Amino acid sequence: MIGQAVREALQRFVPSENIKYDEMLKNHTTFRVGGPADCVLYVQDEGQLQGVINYLQKVELPYFVLGNGSNLLVGDQGYPGIVLKLAEDMSHVTVTGRRIHAQAGATLSKVARVALEHGLTGMEFAAGIPGTVGGGVIMNAGAYDGEMKMVVEYVEVVDREGNQLKLNNATMEFGYRTSVLKNQNFVVTGCTFLLQEGSKDEIKAKMEDFASRRREKQPLEYPSAGSTFKRPEGHFAGKLIMDAGLAGLQVGGARVSEKHCGFVINTGDATAADIRQLMEQVQEEVYRQFSVRLEPEIIFLGEF
């Protein structure tokens, strides 16, 4: 519950029309599930973001920065805190030579399109990833033959005191679906990508090939959070789940996709509890049969 003093304070940083109370987070996630947040702030620029974060740290209020909600499972009871939603105004993308600078709210697919338009190669893998730049660099998002660590030059962040910092590629400590930011209380505000000059026709063909393979192999017609589990060393999560006989396994409205067993999908009326219970059943059965522990790639937020 957000008290009146906090409500008044928030209006010093963000216009009142960009502050929504008891906002349902299912409207902000690709899973299309999730209860209400106490408050959602639609942050329009870095100045607003710095001011809000500095204030929330001082008054010790919990907050979560939300991009496209593509790798997230929000509990049915919602999130007892403040969600900082990077608004459309924080999604600008600019190009200088071989460098592309993107604000954190820009989608990775938008950055890939801009790269294509300027004949820059290296971002093709990101064309079908639904997440934003902010989430992408934190998770070292990747697909097919590429990942963020291959193209990031430096990342701009705001720390808990509201200070701006710039982290280079080495400082980011990119790993498989992780980075130094994974467990740091920093907020990504932007990223500069360093790409290579290439043929527009070849770049376009590669992006179309990846898109075709996604449509063929992934259940894009259903709400999901993308790949549900990380790839275990020496294995593929989807194959383990399929080999365990779990294709089509269902809990409520949540189901293991028969098209790609690495995806848990929302068939239309799933709850967050359905999805989480199904994930746990899959983890238990895969471990029982193969002694491999599947680790969620999805971030859990709020109360289930």
Side-chain angles (χ1 to χ4, degrees), residues 250-269:
Q250 190 152 342
V251 174
R255 186 168 78 227
V256 174
S257 170
E258 296 96 328
K259 192 173 185 179
H260 190 316
C261 290
F263 285 64
V264 169
I265 59 175
N266 177 359
T267 62
D269 59 353

Side-chain angles (χ1 to χ4, degrees), residues 231-304:
R231 184 178 66 246
E233 187 173 353
H235 301 275
F236 291 98
K239 187 175 188 308
L240 286 171
I241 296 167
M242 180 177 65
D243 291 348
L246 301 177
L249 180 66
Q250 190 152 342
V251 174
R255 186 168 78 227
V256 174
S257 170
E258 296 96 328
K259 192 173 185 179
H260 190 316
C261 290
F263 285 64
V264 169
I265 59 175
N266 177 359
T267 62
D269 59 353
T271 64
D274 291 340
I275 294 169
R276 190 160 189 174
Q277 183 180 340
L278 179 57
M279 289 176 63
E280 290 171 353
Q281 288 186 19
V282 167
Q283 288 173 296
E284 291 170 4
E285 187 61 19
V286 167
Y287 184 74
R288 187 187 71 81
Q289 293 192 37
F290 305 113
S291 298
V292 176
R293 295 194 183 279
L294 295 179
E295 182 181 349
E297 187 168 317
I298 295 168
I299 296 169
F300 298 101
L301 179 69
E303 300 177 348
F304 289 79

Side-chain angles (χ1 to χ4, degrees), residues 37-294:
D38 285 347
C39 176
V40 174
L41 297 182
Y42 292 82
V43 182
Q44 296 173 296
D45 58 47
E46 293 178 14
Q48 290 182 3
L49 187 62
Q50 286 177 277
V52 168
I53 289 175
N54 190 27
Y55 169 74
L56 295 177
Q57 288 286 342
K58 286 179 178 177
V59 297
E60 299 183 342
L61 279 175
Y63 64 90
F64 181 82
V65 180
L66 180 66
N68 203 40
S70 61
N71 201 40
L72 186 66
L73 180 61
V74 179
D76 300 308
Q77 304 307 310
Y79 176 63
I82 294 176
V83 170
L84 306 180
K85 173 76 172 178
L86 301 185
E88 187 66 27
D89 291 332
M90 285 195 69
S91 63
H92 298 300
V93 178
T94 57
V95 181
T96 305
R98 294 190 295 116
R99 289 176 170 84
I100 295 181
H101 181 268
Q103 290 185 295
T107 61
L108 292 172
S109 58
K110 178 179 180 179
V111 177
R113 289 195 303 272
V114 171
L116 167 62
E117 291 167 4
H118 288 79
L120 297 173
T121 183
M123 286 295 296
E124 292 90 333
F125 74 92
I129 298 177
T132 58
V133 167
V137 296
I138 292 172
M139 296 292 293
N140 187 26
Y144 298 111
D145 64 347
E147 55 188 344
M148 299 295 280
K149 73 175 183 180
M150 298 167 61
V151 290
V152 168
E153 184 173 35
Y154 60 82
V155 178
E156 297 159 0
V157 301
V158 171
D159 67 16
R160 66 184 67 192
E161 283 77 38
N163 302 310
Q164 288 185 308
L165 304 173
K166 186 180 288 187
L167 310 178
N168 63 24
N169 188 296
T171 305
M172 284 294 295
E173 298 179 11
F174 286 118
Y176 176 63
R177 298 299 174 264
T178 190
S179 73
V180 72
L181 299 180
K182 190 77 178 291
N183 298 310
Q184 294 285 343
N185 202 8
F186 291 171
V187 177
V188 176
T189 59
C191 178
T192 295
F193 301 94
L194 179 59
L195 306 179
Q196 303 299 319
E197 294 180 357
S199 161
K200 287 187 179 181
D201 289 341
E202 291 178 4
I203 295 167
K204 183 178 180 181
K206 195 171 185 179
M207 289 170 63
E208 289 176 346
D209 175 53
F210 289 162
S212 175
R213 288 156 66 178
R214 281 190 174 92
R215 289 191 298 270
E216 179 184 345
K217 298 179 180 179
Q218 297 180 9
L220 303 180
E221 64 273 26
Y222 291 99
S224 77
S227 296
T228 307
F229 300 100
K230 294 181 180 179
R231 184 178 66 246
E233 187 173 353
H235 301 275
F236 291 98
K239 187 175 188 308
L240 286 171
I241 296 167
M242 180 177 65
D243 291 348
L246 301 177
L249 180 66
Q250 190 152 342
V251 174
R255 186 168 78 227
V256 174
S257 170
E258 296 96 328
K259 192 173 185 179
H260 190 316
C261 290
F263 285 64
V264 169
I265 59 175
N266 177 359
T267 62
D269 59 353
T271 64
D274 291 340
I275 294 169
R276 190 160 189 174
Q277 183 180 340
L278 179 57
M279 289 176 63
E280 290 171 353
Q281 288 186 19
V282 167
Q283 288 173 296
E284 291 170 4
E285 187 61 19
V286 167
Y287 184 74
R288 187 187 71 81
Q289 293 192 37
F290 305 113
S291 298
V292 176
R293 295 194 183 279
L294 295 179

